[in-house]
Amino acid sequence: SSEVLEAIEKVIEDVFKSLAQKKAPVLTVAKRSDWRNVKFTASVGLQMVPRCTTKQIRSDCPRSASKFAQMLKILSMIYRMVQSNTYATKRDIYYSDTLLFGSQLVVDNIINDISCMLKIPRRSLHILSTVNGFVAGNLSYTEEDGTKVNCTCGATVFTVPSNVQGIKNLISHAKFMLIVEKDATFQRLLDDDFCNRMSPCIMITGKGIPDLNTRLFVRKLWDSFQIPIFTLMDADPHGVEIMCIYKYGSVSMSFEAHHLTVPSIKWLGLLPSDLERLNIHKDVLIPFTKQDQKKLASLQKRPYIACQPMWKKELEIMAASELKAEIQVLTSLSSHYLSRVYLPNKLQFGGWI
């Protein structure tokens, strides 16, 4: 807490110093979305470089004055919350002054800018994220407030905890973890009792692009149990990018890579090569859009693809066919093919890359 307060005080002191010298106060933030500010290492993923390029949020410039005001407003709210040991959601912050912020996205971006500027993890700023992720399977833990959570009970689904840092007493006999891209596939596997049918496992879904808490939770489970983690994604550029976020992180959150990435994650499916191997009929595949082509070309240039020759090959198969497939395409073979044939065979015979 004292670290957060001191960091904010230092920013405000600099604002006062500028005013005392009759200069317009300026806030300096890193360019978080610039690939030039990121380095890639196989052991961590995408990390922000120590001396990254920055941009100035000036109080005397019409283009940035409103952002300067928004940043000071959120800094003052964080300061009060840390002092009083209270918490607020990103939504609460937006609704505290909708006219000033304009949109929820503005608030989300500024919170990340502040976290990066202060060099303090976002969860230490007393701001809670909306949690989208679900977890099920062989896992129990105690939340910070003492609530005991037991995911092992049948087909029960639990929301990923809102304060991952505060959970303790994690217990699991799972042999592996499966990250599922979509909620619909996650629910289908639960209905088929997949978590217990083959061997005990933990299943997680971020329901598409994972929120910060889901990524923190996957990392916490990896640190706690060190069991294999597999991903089940659509065979399309979007699915590959989501998997890369879990494994190597994202450019915009590269300043927090050490808490978020799990580079040991394996790609279990749906592989583009599986579509040919399983004789999936072309009629049930979806042609690429211009956006898909653009996304795939961008992925193929990413630094982490170069160190994954098998992944590179799969992306080349996808690029050559210009076809994509959702996980649900396996139901064209049989209604229970995914849970009773595809996944058991893959896990038993090492069909991941």
Side-chain angles (χ1 to χ4, degrees), residues 93-139:
I93 290 172
Y94 167 61
Y95 279 112
S96 72
D97 199 332
T98 54
L99 279 177
L100 174 65
F101 296 122
S103 78
Q104 183 68 57
L105 189 63
V106 167
V107 171
D108 296 356
N109 279 324
I110 287 175
I111 289 165
N112 287 338
D113 279 338
I114 286 172
S115 174
C116 186
M117 178 177 76
L118 301 179
K119 293 184 171 53
I120 286 167
R122 200 172 82 183
R123 61 196 172 282
S124 301
L125 301 178
H126 284 229
I127 296 169
L128 304 171
S129 307
T130 310
V131 182
N132 291 324
F134 286 150
V135 60
N138 195 289
L139 174 69

Side-chain angles (χ1 to χ4, degrees), residues 16-287:
F16 279 131
K17 275 179 194 167
S18 297
L19 290 169
Q21 293 164 5
K22 294 190 166 44
K23 290 179 185 170
V26 169
L27 297 173
T28 304
V29 297
K31 291 184 178 177
R32 290 184 298 108
S33 296
D34 193 333
W35 276 91
R36 290 170 298 182
N37 284 339
V38 172
K39 66 173 181 179
F40 170 72
T41 54
S43 60
V44 177
L46 300 173
Q47 288 174 275
M48 187 170 271
V49 295
R51 289 185 181 175
C52 59
T53 55
T54 57
K55 59 185 176 186
Q56 290 194 325
I57 313 297
R58 300 190 61 85
S59 58
D60 62 344
C61 169
R63 266 203 337 224
S64 62
S66 61
K67 184 165 182 181
F68 183 89
Q70 290 160 350
M71 287 187 78
L72 284 192
K73 167 82 173 175
I74 294 177
L75 280 166
S76 74
M77 291 180 80
I78 293 167
Y79 194 86
R80 282 200 302 273
M81 288 189 296
V82 173
Q83 269 189 324
S84 60
N85 196 27
T86 54
Y87 289 80
T89 64
K90 292 190 292 184
R91 203 102 185 107
D92 294 333
I93 290 172
Y94 167 61
Y95 279 112
S96 72
D97 199 332
T98 54
L99 279 177
L100 174 65
F101 296 122
S103 78
Q104 183 68 57
L105 189 63
V106 167
V107 171
D108 296 356
N109 279 324
I110 287 175
I111 289 165
N112 287 338
D113 279 338
I114 286 172
S115 174
C116 186
M117 178 177 76
L118 301 179
K119 293 184 171 53
I120 286 167
R122 200 172 82 183
R123 61 196 172 282
S124 301
L125 301 178
H126 284 229
I127 296 169
L128 304 171
S129 307
T130 310
V131 182
N132 291 324
F134 286 150
V135 60
N138 195 289
L139 174 69
S140 64
Y141 55 86
T142 307
E143 294 200 355
E144 191 186 28
D145 63 0
T147 306
K148 288 184 167 58
V149 177
N150 185 3
C151 308
T152 314
C153 308
T156 316
V157 173
F158 288 88
T159 307
V160 165
S162 57
N163 184 356
V164 174
Q165 197 182 15
I167 64 172
K168 50 191 182 290
N169 305 330
L170 288 100
I171 299 166
S172 178
H173 303 292
K175 302 296 179 206
F176 63 93
M177 250 170 79
L178 184 67
I179 298 171
V180 183
E181 178 185 348
K182 287 179 176 164
D183 184 31
T185 309
F186 179 85
Q187 298 290 349
R188 182 64 196 264
L189 289 171
L190 268 184
D191 292 344
D192 284 353
D193 197 27
F194 178 75
C195 289
N196 301 309
R197 184 179 288 278
M198 196 174 143
S199 59
C201 74
I202 299 166
M203 272 203 322
I204 287 183
T205 181
K207 295 197 278 187
I209 296 170
D211 59 73
L212 190 74
N213 270 48
T214 303
R215 291 172 63 192
L216 282 167
F217 193 51
V218 169
R219 176 59 194 250
K220 177 98 173 179
L221 294 176
W222 162 246
D223 288 337
S224 302
F225 304 124
Q226 302 277 308
I227 52 176
I229 304 180
F230 303 109
T231 56
L232 181 62
M233 305 280 152
D234 287 342
D236 66 12
H238 189 66
V240 174
E241 178 156 67
I242 288 170
M243 174 172 56
C244 291
I245 289 171
Y246 282 108
K247 187 176 173 74
Y248 293 128
S250 58
V251 179
S252 63
M253 292 298 289
S254 60
F255 64 95
E256 273 217 57
H258 282 281
H259 309 290
L260 294 171
T261 61
V262 186
S264 62
I265 282 173
K266 307 286 183 216
W267 187 2
L268 188 71
L270 188 62
L271 302 179
S273 60
D274 288 339
L275 303 176
E276 204 171 290
R277 182 176 61 82
L278 298 171
N279 292 319
I280 303 288
H281 205 277
K282 288 215 167 130
D283 290 355
V284 293
L285 302 179
I286 308 160

Side-chain angles (χ1 to χ4, degrees), residues 325-340:
E326 297 183 331
I327 300 160
Q328 288 90 322
V329 80
L330 296 176
T331 56
S332 67
L333 301 171
S334 80
S335 58
H336 295 286
Y337 192 86
L338 173 66
S339 61
R340 296 187 188 176

